[in-house]
Amino acid sequence: MTSKNIVKLLNDQIQKEFYSSYLYLSMTAYFKSVNLDGFANFYFIQAQEEKDHALRIFDYMNQIGAKIVLEKIDAPKVDFESIEEVLKLALEHEQFVTKSIHNIVDVALSEKDHSTYSFLQWFINEQVEEEDTADGNLKKFQLVGNDGRGILMIDAELAQRVYTPPVANN
Ligand code: FEO
């Protein structure tokens, strides 16, 4: 039986994942506005993946019969000063999400909620990937600095990212 405490944390996490989607959509809009379509592609796909994360938790909560309470989603930041600001914020945001996931895992462990603990393993691994990717993007950008050709090379690389819809039960 999943405790009220964990049900609340899962509902909060749905909200955080939808907020993440909103934030990355805002970043997409910024990159579109400065004609960096590769960066925009990367963050648009990121926004879709975040929505998928929220729905993954939504599905799990339905499976275990937990009450879903959809929470208010705050407006994300919409004005960005530079590419570097966006890339830093993306990394910091992923670190925030990782902490949030780890907190639910800690609570699930302390309450011996093995189902939720098992369910969250996918998210733990996903966050390792997400932080690594966000960190990689920032470091690559810092390598090229404000060199226009370097930025266009990163933009071309990020244009290659393709959205992969989630597979049920993976
Ligand atoms: Fe769903 Fe990027 O955390």
Side-chain angles (χ1 to χ4, degrees):
M1 181 73 184
T2 299
S3 72
K4 275 191 181 158
N5 195 13
I6 289 188
V7 169
K8 171 73 172 108
L9 288 172
L10 291 172
N11 274 312
D12 290 349
Q13 194 62 37
I14 289 179
Q15 187 269 354
K16 285 173 189 165
E17 301 292 345
F18 274 123
Y19 174 79
S20 304
S21 183
Y22 229 32
L23 177 65
Y24 290 130
L25 205 53
S26 186
M27 292 175 176
T28 304
Y30 165 74
F31 284 119
K32 280 280 182 195
S33 76
V34 293
N35 297 310
L36 287 171
D37 288 346
F39 281 88
N41 172 64
F42 180 91
Y43 285 104
F44 186 63
I45 291 170
Q46 195 62 32
Q48 292 175 82
E49 286 197 355
E50 297 301 349
K51 181 204 64 177
D52 294 339
H53 296 170
L55 296 181
R56 185 180 282 264
I57 301 168
F58 182 89
D59 284 347
Y60 172 69
M61 291 182 75
N62 276 322
Q63 272 180 337
I64 61 170
K67 182 169 170 55
I68 291 166
V69 180
L70 295 177
E71 301 171 7
K72 181 181 167 195
I73 302 166
D74 287 337
K77 185 176 171 64
V78 289
D79 292 315
F80 300 101
E81 299 297 323
S82 66
I83 299 170
E84 189 172 20
E85 183 193 358
V86 176
L87 300 182
K88 276 186 178 162
L89 180 60
L91 175 59
E92 284 165 13
H93 184 69
E94 287 306 326
Q95 289 166 339
F96 161 78
V97 173
T98 299
K99 277 200 187 112
S100 179
I101 295 286
H102 286 189
N103 177 53
I104 312 175
V105 172
D106 286 346
V107 177
L109 262 178
S110 73
E111 294 189 6
K112 296 187 169 51
D113 181 343
H114 299 292
S115 312
T116 301
Y117 176 77
S118 170
F119 165 71
L120 289 170
Q121 299 309 299
W122 183 92
F123 281 89
I124 293 176
N125 296 328
E126 177 71 7
Q127 282 312 119
V128 172
E129 243 184 77
E130 300 261 273
E131 279 195 36
D132 184 44
T133 305
D135 187 53
N137 286 343
L138 177 61
K139 288 205 171 114
K140 266 184 227 164
F141 178 78
Q142 286 171 336
L143 263 182
V144 303
N146 283 321
D147 174 61
R149 277 172 304 181
I151 294 171
L152 289 178
M153 277 175 71
I154 298 174
D155 193 61
E157 185 189 325
L158 296 180
Q160 305 298 314
R161 187 178 186 188
V162 176
Y163 173 65
T164 310
V167 179
N169 300 321
N170 77 344

